Amino acid sequence: MNDLLSRLRAGLPAEAVLTDSDVTASYAHDMASFCPAGAPAAVVLPRTVEQVQHVMRTATSVRVPVVPQGARTGLSGAANATDGCIVLSLLRMDRVLRIDPVDRIAVVEPGVVNADLSKAVAAHGLAYPPDPSSWEQCTIGGNIGTGSGGLCCVKYGVTAEYVLGLDVVLADGRLLSTGRSTAKGVAGYDLTRLFVGSEGTLGVVVRAVLALKPAPPRQLVLAAEFGSAAAAGEAVARIMAEGHTPSLLELMDATTIAAVNRMTKMGLPESTQALLLAAFDTADPAADLAAVGELCRAAGAAEVVPADDEAESELLLAARRAALPALEAVKGTTMIDDVCVPRSRLADMLDGVARIAAEHRLTIGVCAHAGDGNTHPTVCFDATDEDEARRARASFDAIMDLGLRLGGTITGEHGVGVLKRDWLARELGPVGLEMQRSIRQVFDPLGILNPGKVL
């Protein structure tokens, strides 16, 4: 231990190395439930690429694992420490290095907060579309590590589609540059895409070149109430089949609606079994909302409420933004699943989750990015009740099994981490798992980068 700390301090400012156990314990885990976390030997907060390289060279020399971290808002345990590791927090590498309105790119360090980047590029009439729910806290490096998404994915896509190039410090301290700053480029294997979603198991991202879009017009929102999940699912299918491209298409089930009502007193109709929110940021959003409203009515919507202006749109979206805090308030602890299914199986997913909730005697609310089939079943439980916690974990696994049986995937945007590692093997199959392990071995032959995560 003393040798490790002395080597680290030889190339780092004193304030960059934290060893007080009370302080390091606060860096031990992210926001996931049921994911073990160890006690780190030290937490290092570098400010430069050279300092990150020093940490990785030291770790390789003394064979100590390194756990890269962002803001620890993740939901899979990917940022959890292991006993005796170096936690490498990138929070202090938080500079927006360049914004180029001509090439429509931003060059940033990994500790830049998503919302801060959005505000910075907005000043140039541009937008960085990926918007995870934790966008006011989560960092770009963390978003890249987990391949995160957000509410706008149905139109604008996920983080991977905006990462053009990366600087990555490898396990042995070498600096690798991937990708490009140009609008096009197909030279060599796409190593950039390989690092996106790798959860810190292949290298440490220290700089990113991100694609930007012109800032869209303000969106208008519509709310549609349905008497069944099947009717809401049919509406989603009709909207997408007709070629509409909403900027947002979100769904909340009856359990979530009831929880939001209890917390916010919004007065959402308790008879509603599914609430669908659709938004458009087109040149004529009112016309698009009218067309989608007709499709919702044809699918069986009991009521369709389009907003007239931005203020009304914000009121309609307030219920969706309140969903997760409202579900957390039900029992005090939640497990948020992240199963993505084909849009055509969305209703089957919601109905299946309702059956799982009844079978395990639990409250499970579902909110979903309905436009891309990404569901977030949220298991509410009392963590101090041993039997209820056991049932919560069992229901979580049952939900992932359901998603795979419906032709889906175990994660659409939260990543694998510790929580879903065993399920990844089932989704990939033996050949796929072997190939992924081989790739990891190439980048990290000593196995020191985020051990125990993903594979």
Side-chain angles (χ1 to χ4, degrees):
M1 176 69 72
N2 290 336
D3 182 46
L4 169 64
L5 296 178
S6 64
R7 291 190 185 208
L8 285 174
R9 288 173 175 142
L12 295 166
E15 70 274 9
V17 183
L18 310 179
T19 58
D20 183 283
S21 59
D22 290 335
V23 175
T24 58
S26 67
Y27 288 83
H29 57 83
D30 62 17
M31 297 179 68
S33 301
F34 296 109
C35 293
V43 174
V44 178
L45 295 103
R47 291 189 183 274
T48 68
V49 173
E50 291 75 17
Q51 289 173 4
V52 175
Q53 289 181 282
H54 171 71
V55 172
M56 294 312 306
R57 290 186 188 113
T58 300
T60 293
S61 176
V62 297
R63 305 297 196 267
V64 171
V66 176
V67 177
Q69 285 185 352
R72 304 190 308 281
T73 57
L75 294 163
S76 68
N80 284 15
T82 57
D83 284 333
C85 76
I86 301 168
V87 164
L88 182 58
S89 172
L90 286 307
L91 289 178
R92 292 181 182 174
M93 297 181 68
D94 60 357
R95 295 178 299 162
V96 176
L97 300 172
R98 181 161 65 99
I99 297 171
D100 189 328
V102 175
D103 288 324
R104 293 182 181 172
I105 61 170
V107 182
V108 305
E109 292 182 326
V112 171
V113 171
N114 187 297
D116 292 343
L117 175 61
S118 294
K119 293 168 188 171
V121 301
H124 297 267
L126 298 168
Y128 178 67
D131 61 342
S133 296
S134 59
W135 77 301
E136 292 182 324
Q137 296 86 36
C138 64
T139 63
I140 296 299
N143 294 167
I144 292 170
T146 58
S148 60
L151 273 64
C152 73
C153 293
V154 60
K155 180 173 183 178
Y156 293 105
V158 296
T159 296
E161 294 167 64
Y162 293 87
V163 183
L164 299 177
L166 295 171
D167 282 356
V168 182
V169 175
L170 300 177
D172 59 7
R174 288 179 296 165
L175 183 64
L176 169 69
S177 293
T178 75
R180 63 194 195 277
S181 296
T182 55
K184 293 166 61 179
V186 293
Y189 296 124
D190 191 351
L191 295 183
T192 303
R193 196 66 176 253
L194 182 62
F195 281 102
V196 179
S198 64
E199 302 183 35
T201 61
L202 302 180
V204 181
V205 172
V206 290
R207 187 187 69 104
V209 181
L210 305 173
L212 305 175
K213 298 285 188 184
R218 295 291 185 179
Q219 63 183 5
L220 286 182
V221 179
L222 168 149
E225 301 168 12
F226 295 89
S228 69
E234 174 63 19
V236 171
R238 292 186 184 209
I239 291 167
M240 302 309 292
E242 287 292 322
H244 292 286
T245 309
S247 55
L248 172 152
L249 192 58
E250 296 288 303
L251 185 146
M252 297 161 55
D253 73 349
T255 299
T256 305
I257 293 168
V260 169
N261 270 342
R262 282 194 297 272
M263 187 180 80
T264 67
K265 314 301 181 189
M266 283 185 177
L268 300 173
E270 295 285 352
S271 59
T272 299
Q273 295 301 300
L275 181 69
L276 189 66
L277 298 170
F280 285 88
D281 58 5
T282 53
D284 189 3
D288 289 312
L289 286 186
V292 164
E294 288 304 312
L295 293 174
C296 288
R297 290 187 184 94
E303 181 139 11
V304 175
V305 182
D308 292 325
D309 54 33
E310 185 181 345
E312 285 189 22
S313 294
E314 285 302 309
L315 285 173
L316 292 175
L317 288 177
R320 174 62 181 87
R321 293 196 179 104
L324 292 182
L327 289 169
E328 287 172 0
V330 172
K331 284 292 186 86
T333 307
T334 57
M335 285 189 73
I336 304 174
D337 215 323
D338 174 37
V339 173
C340 193
V341 297
R343 298 183 189 103
S344 59
R345 306 306 300 272
L346 190 58
D348 295 329
M349 184 69 189
L350 267 66
D351 288 339
V353 170
R355 289 193 297 271
I356 291 168
E359 178 185 345
H360 291 84
R361 308 189 313 280
L362 292 166
T363 298
I364 305 178
V366 181
C367 50
H369 309 312
D372 49 26
N374 196 174
T375 69
H376 294 306
T378 303
V379 184
C380 309
F381 65 102
D382 179 356
T384 66
D385 183 326
E386 189 174 313
D387 179 65
E388 192 162 274
R390 178 191 58 77
R391 286 184 279 120
R393 181 61 208 240
S395 72
F396 187 88
D397 288 341
I399 290 167
M400 284 192 285
D401 177 69
L402 171 66
L404 289 179
R405 286 190 285 108
L406 292 175
T409 175
I410 60 169
T411 177
E413 58 187 6
H414 292 173
V416 175
V418 177
L419 193 61
K420 300 184 176 184
R421 187 178 56 193
D422 293 340
W423 283 94
L424 182 65
R426 175 170 168 179
E427 178 170 336
L428 294 179
V431 176
L433 193 63
E434 179 186 351
M435 292 298 100
Q436 299 227 357
R437 285 175 172 159
S438 298
I439 291 169
R440 185 166 181 172
Q441 177 71 18
V442 168
F443 283 91
D444 182 22
L446 298 178
I448 65 171
L449 272 169
N450 218 6
K453 314 298 170 51
V454 185
L455 302 172

